[in-house]
Amino acid sequence: MKLIIKFFAEVTIKSPQVRKRFVSQLRKNLKVLLKAIDPDVRISGNWDSLEVITGDDPALQTALLARLRNTPGINHIHEVREYPLGTLDELAELCVERFADQLAGKTFAVRCKRVGHHPFTSNDVNREIGSRLMLTGVPAGVSLRDPQVVVQLEIRQQRVFLIQARHEGLGGFPLGTMEPVLSLMSGGFDSTVASYQMLQRGVLPHFVFFNLGGRAHELGVRQVAHYLWEKYAASHRLRFISVPFEGVVAEILQNVDNSQMGVVLKRMMLRAASRIAHRYGYHALVTGEAIAQVSSQTLPNLAAIDQVCDMLVLRPLITTSKTEIIRTARRIGTEAFSSSMPEYCGVISVSPDIHTNVRKVEAAETGFDFSVLDAAVEQATSTDCCDLELELEGSQVETVEQALAGQVVLDIRHPDEEELKPLELEGVEVLKVPFYQLNSRFAELDPARAYLLYCEKGVMSRLHAQYLLDRGHDNVRVLRLPRG
């Protein structure tokens, strides 16, 4: 099988020097990607298109096409049959032989692209083939504006390519043609789609995850990062960097004014991310923020957040609606990951300030112990995306809907949330242990008792229960009370 790779339109309008560099990078990427599927694949061409030749194995052909469709820099792929160029009459007969059966009762048009010097024009080819096909009596007629079937062919010097099928590509620029960046990844819809959009523009987004509450959440985000790398960026090595941020969260909750918590958390993340980016030589940060989607994403708040960072912060989704973001996630295959990914609800201001300023935020940060942030950055770990764990290992969290006498319910909600809606269970002991204190205080509890972790949405309780189970505490389950 022969495939013709057509470049993204913005590649073709670059200057000759830049275009040559982009095409060369795409060719290198394809060699890495395609030879992993078929070691005997051949890739040739340069300026106008690339040609891929593989064997007749249908499974290999399907795998190659799937990989090409998800490779940045490719606009579309033509599946072709190649023949030597003869006379115009011989070319018309060849097209009758190959296309007549497809035209029964249908309108058609002939479209020829020609490269080189020939004794005929492209319009001559279109007219000759069209008239010869009409003489067969098979087609319903010619329709240049809206044909049911398009007979496509390319003539390149003394070769003819009859196009059997067209497969749409990803578009964008080849990976590696832009500088690397660090993408803040939570695993939700926004950060995942933002990272994908950077990939599509030829930018290599390494991932940084701020772990706010447990191993289970991190493993979920690792799956998303691995998926993006494997499907769209496997031609390059990408890092997944995990930063333990639970201590930072605890410090914010205990020492930062309630109305400024969300903005302060984002500022801490940018501080940490910029230091990590400088460490690895990345050129910018990427976030999934969209204007006014949540309280920390108003213009004044974003300005206050950016003030702590000396790097360019890219926000590709800044004017994108949530509906469009979810639609993109569905198209690229990450919707299932993100829809089941818990949105960590640990730092929620009861009355967030949506029009803050640097002066107020800096005042709110005066009680924050920055050595906690320093320790989190120092403890960050880096893993190649190809080595990420793909399955949740260890014990699975058991969920119950009723607490029994003798069991202890640990209400791990933030004190403000607990105060607004106290948990009262008749005949059952309830202990108030905020999630940011749970890991340190759990060791002090009686190991002979059975404990049920509770929070309103069941997010933090699952994450922390998994964390405790992974450390050998098999006396932990999750309490999920029925609604109503």
Side-chain angles (χ1 to χ4, degrees), residues 38-64:
D38 178 7
D40 297 325
V41 70
R42 287 181 288 160
I43 303 170
S44 60
N46 42 48
W47 178 256
D48 188 54
S49 63
L50 295 177
E51 297 180 11
V52 175
I53 301 176
T54 186
D56 298 326
D57 185 337
L60 284 181
Q61 294 175 358
T62 300
L64 286 172

Side-chain angles (χ1 to χ4, degrees), residues 198-481:
M198 301 313 294
L199 282 167
Q200 193 179 33
R201 295 300 290 181
V203 179
L204 289 171
H206 299 267
F207 307 111
V208 60
F209 167 63
F210 293 98
N211 194 336
L212 306 182
R215 179 173 175 268
H217 190 190
E218 176 167 337
L219 288 178
V221 180
R222 283 173 171 243
Q223 290 183 28
V224 178
H226 183 275
Y227 175 88
L228 285 177
W229 167 79
E230 195 281 330
K231 187 163 186 176
Y232 301 110
S235 57
H236 289 73
R237 293 178 62 183
L238 296 185
R239 284 191 178 97
F240 179 90
I241 300 165
S242 178
V243 185
F245 236 53
E246 193 173 35
V248 175
V249 171
E251 186 70 17
I252 291 173
L253 290 172
Q254 295 182 66
N255 297 310
V256 173
D257 179 77
N258 189 289
S259 65
Q260 305 298 324
M261 285 181 177
V263 171
V264 169
L265 176 63
K266 293 294 182 66
R267 281 163 63 96
M268 296 301 170
M269 288 180 174
L270 280 198
R271 285 183 172 108
S274 62
R275 287 165 61 178
I276 292 170
H278 282 302
R279 179 188 301 171
Y280 289 105
Y282 305 144
H283 289 246
L285 304 180
V286 179
T287 79
E289 291 159 319
I291 191 69
Q293 190 175 112
V294 295
S295 60
S296 66
Q297 295 175 19
T298 63
L299 286 178
N301 289 5
L302 289 174
I305 291 169
D306 282 0
Q307 188 267 344
V308 304
C309 184
D310 63 351
M311 301 191 75
L312 174 66
V313 180
L314 301 174
R315 294 182 171 95
L317 306 182
I318 193 66
T319 62
T320 310
S321 69
K322 193 71 172 185
T323 301
E324 182 60 29
I325 293 170
I326 294 174
R327 187 180 297 121
T328 301
R330 184 176 302 124
R331 175 171 57 83
I332 67 176
T334 61
E335 181 185 24
F337 293 107
S338 297
S339 61
S340 60
M341 190 71 60
E343 288 292 340
Y344 195 80
C345 49
V347 179
I348 299 177
S349 300
V350 175
S351 300
D353 188 347
I354 61 173
H355 295 289
T356 195
N357 56 54
V358 173
R359 178 184 56 80
K360 289 194 288 187
V361 179
E362 288 180 343
E365 291 179 344
T366 55
F368 185 90
D369 182 359
F370 278 87
S371 67
V372 176
L373 181 66
D374 296 338
V377 174
E378 289 303 313
Q379 294 168 19
T381 59
S382 175
T383 309
D384 281 351
C385 282
C386 60
D387 296 327
L388 293 175
E389 299 174 2
L390 300 181
E391 296 182 1
L392 184 63
E393 300 174 355
S395 304
Q396 298 300 305
V397 177
E398 181 182 352
T399 302
V400 300
E401 295 185 352
Q402 182 180 7
L404 304 176
Q407 296 176 333
V408 180
V409 174
L410 301 182
D411 187 344
I412 68 169
R413 294 176 294 171
H414 187 279
D416 291 342
E417 186 181 1
E418 186 277 326
E419 184 177 350
L420 289 172
K421 193 175 181 180
L423 178 64
E424 297 180 358
L425 299 173
E426 186 177 353
V428 177
E429 182 181 0
V430 177
L431 294 179
K432 301 173 185 178
V433 184
F435 68 92
Y436 53 86
Q437 297 177 357
L438 180 63
N439 294 339
S440 60
R441 288 183 55 184
F442 193 82
E444 303 170 2
L445 301 177
D446 184 355
R449 303 287 297 274
Y451 297 96
L452 305 180
L453 272 55
Y454 172 80
C455 70
E456 185 71 23
K457 296 182 179 180
V459 175
M460 288 186 292
S461 54
R462 289 198 303 272
L463 297 180
H464 284 277
Q466 184 66 59
Y467 179 90
L468 293 171
L469 286 168
D470 289 341
R471 279 151 182 76
H473 301 291
D474 57 3
N475 56 340
V476 177
R477 286 182 287 178
V478 167
L479 175 63
R480 193 78 172 98
L481 294 177

Side-chain angles (χ1 to χ4, degrees), residues 143-194:
S143 174
L144 298 181
R145 177 172 295 182
D146 188 26
Q148 292 175 287
V149 178
V150 177
V151 176
Q152 278 190 287
L153 64 154
E154 289 192 13
I155 299 174
R156 292 178 173 273
Q157 306 303 339
Q158 297 305 307
R159 297 185 298 166
V160 177
F161 299 112
L162 301 187
I163 300 171
Q164 306 299 303
R166 171 176 167 138
H167 306 276
E168 296 304 316
L170 192 64
F173 297 142
L175 279 179
T177 54
M178 305 293 166
E179 291 75 11
V181 299
L182 186 62
S183 183
L184 281 66
M185 169 70 77
S186 71
F189 288 103
D190 301 342
S191 61
T192 303
V193 172

